[in-house]
Amino acid sequence: MRLGLALGYWGRGPSPGHVALAQEAERLGYDSVWTAESWGSDAFTPLAWIAAHTSRIKLGTAVAQMAARPPTTTAMHALTLDHLSGGRMMLGLGLSGPQVVEGWYGRPFPSSPLTATREYVDVVRQVLRREAPVELAGRFHSHPYRGPDATGLGKPLKPITHPLRPDLPILLGAEGPKNVAQTTRIADGWLPLYWSPTRPEVYGPAVRELPGNFLVAPLAQARVCDDVAEGLLPVKAMLGFYIGGMGHAARNFHADLMARMGYEEEAHRIQELFLSGRREEAVLAVPDAFADEISLVGPRERIAERLELWRKGPVTDLLALAPDPHTLRVLAELASR
């Protein structure tokens, strides 16, 4: 099981320690470093900055949001960064939810998310392979565009720049069983958001029959500390925001996943509190047991014991949201056993 460093996205401003953490992760032998985006900082620019300050570690987006860019633009970002980094780029994509897609990007949320995802990946792969001009008569992605307001002058194009690697890895963030099953068919890897090593069945039967060389790279908050309850507070804060605020009360993929993991009543309570403005109460309503099973928190010996559970399953890459060099170092030492 390889280790990756997940840096997430910025808060109110740039995170000054990210480059230093990425450099430390590279020094410790981490295989990859990952950036993200929501509705603030983008995923690709910080990754390019990190690429310029490192030499070996792989560079991934976990995740770049599909609604933010046409698939050809995303492919341009990926092939450019792959060239500049000497072939270190890994493209992680996610669809996001209606709140973000329609509220932030001003685009309709696709009526068939699976079809939209499949078409998006198809176009990106066409660009990266550069075997022919990009063409797709898709339901959501049409190349050239042939809608009712089209001029009729568009023509299929190939990228001017020759991609460095036509097989640049594409990973997808997927939560529902149908989405996970499709991911195993069209992508090179999967980025689970809430992975519990004790209950992989919540993601559906596809997890039991993964293709060869398929990457399973869950994100998990990690923190070496003496007080487990205190160490879980950042995990609960993240869950309170995602379960309570990252979506609508009637349609929240994160809350749905929490419910499938056995915490349906608690998920509804978190949503209710968060959406009524009682955010601190929403965070405290997150069960410690749920936060604990999807993270690696506590003293070194406890993390070592729990890490063995992650090794036994299908996980190929553990992407640690580790905020400090000490935690990075402990994970590296434990993973090398």
Side-chain angles (χ1 to χ4, degrees):
M1 186 177 67
R2 295 176 293 262
L3 289 178
L5 169 64
L7 296 173
Y9 44 80
W10 296 350
R12 295 181 63 178
S15 301
H18 278 183
V19 169
L21 276 176
Q23 290 173 327
E24 178 67 1
E26 182 173 68
R27 189 188 69 79
L28 291 169
Y30 278 61
D31 186 69
S32 56
V33 57
W34 302 74
T35 56
E37 61 189 10
S38 54
W39 50 90
S41 60
D42 77 281
F44 290 101
T45 309
L47 204 61
W49 190 253
I50 291 168
H53 290 81
T54 55
S55 60
R56 176 199 58 79
I57 198 165
K58 294 173 187 172
L59 310 155
T61 54
V63 295
Q65 295 177 331
M66 296 185 215
R69 307 162 188 88
T72 47
T73 306
T74 294
M76 289 167 64
H77 279 299
L79 72 86
T80 302
L81 243 174
D82 204 41
H83 270 291
L84 292 175
S85 66
R88 292 190 277 154
M89 180 66 193
M90 304 173 76
L91 181 60
L93 300 170
L95 192 61
S96 195
Q99 182 190 44
V100 176
V101 173
E102 297 185 358
W104 180 247
Y105 294 115
R107 299 180 54 80
F109 188 76
S111 55
S112 176
L114 293 179
T115 302
T117 299
R118 187 166 60 250
E119 292 178 1
Y120 199 101
V121 172
D122 185 345
V123 172
V124 171
R125 288 208 188 276
Q126 286 190 53
V127 173
L128 295 175
R129 289 170 179 160
R130 202 180 179 273
E131 296 171 343
V134 176
E135 287 194 83
L136 181 68
R139 178 177 170 187
F140 300 98
H141 299 285
S142 179
H143 293 264
Y145 178 67
R146 298 187 178 90
D149 54 344
T151 64
L153 301 178
K155 69 173 185 177
L157 297 169
K158 286 199 298 186
I160 296 171
T161 304
H162 291 231
L164 183 64
R165 292 182 298 160
D167 57 349
L168 185 153
I170 297 175
L171 297 87
L172 295 177
E175 295 180 30
K178 291 182 179 179
N179 199 353
V180 173
Q182 175 174 269
T183 296
T184 65
R185 297 192 298 270
I186 68 172
D188 304 297
W190 171 39
L191 295 160
L193 184 58
Y194 308 138
W195 175 263
S196 169
T198 60
R199 48 174 116 215
E201 70 278 356
V202 300
Y203 286 104
V207 178
R208 295 195 297 268
E209 300 177 0
L210 297 171
N213 300 319
F214 188 79
L215 303 176
V216 178
L219 286 80
Q221 291 207 42
R223 186 184 296 267
V224 178
C225 59
D226 294 328
D227 189 327
V228 174
E230 182 180 343
L232 287 174
L233 286 176
V235 185
K236 295 174 66 168
M238 177 272 292
L239 288 169
F241 175 62
Y242 275 72
I243 303 299
M246 191 74 81
H248 190 271
R251 192 169 190 183
N252 184 315
F253 302 132
H254 308 300
D256 293 344
L257 176 56
M258 184 178 176
R260 292 202 306 276
M261 296 177 78
Y263 299 94
E264 182 173 6
E265 183 177 335
E266 292 88 342
H268 290 319
R269 179 59 177 162
I270 294 165
Q271 283 187 296
E272 178 185 299
L273 289 169
F274 194 96
L275 295 174
S276 64
R278 297 154 67 184
R279 297 191 175 190
E280 291 185 8
E281 291 181 63
V283 170
L284 294 176
V286 176
D288 281 8
F290 178 52
D292 193 31
E293 70 176 279
I294 64 170
S295 61
L296 290 162
V297 172
R300 178 190 178 104
E301 298 74 19
R302 185 176 193 268
I303 291 179
E305 179 181 337
R306 295 176 61 79
L307 199 59
E308 291 306 310
L309 293 174
W310 293 70
R311 292 182 195 269
K312 293 177 181 178
V315 174
T316 61
D317 299 76
L318 172 60
L319 310 186
L321 286 151
D324 62 275
H326 177 60
T327 296
L328 284 182
R329 185 167 56 255
V330 169
L331 286 176
E333 292 170 355
L334 294 177
S336 65
R337 286 182 176 181

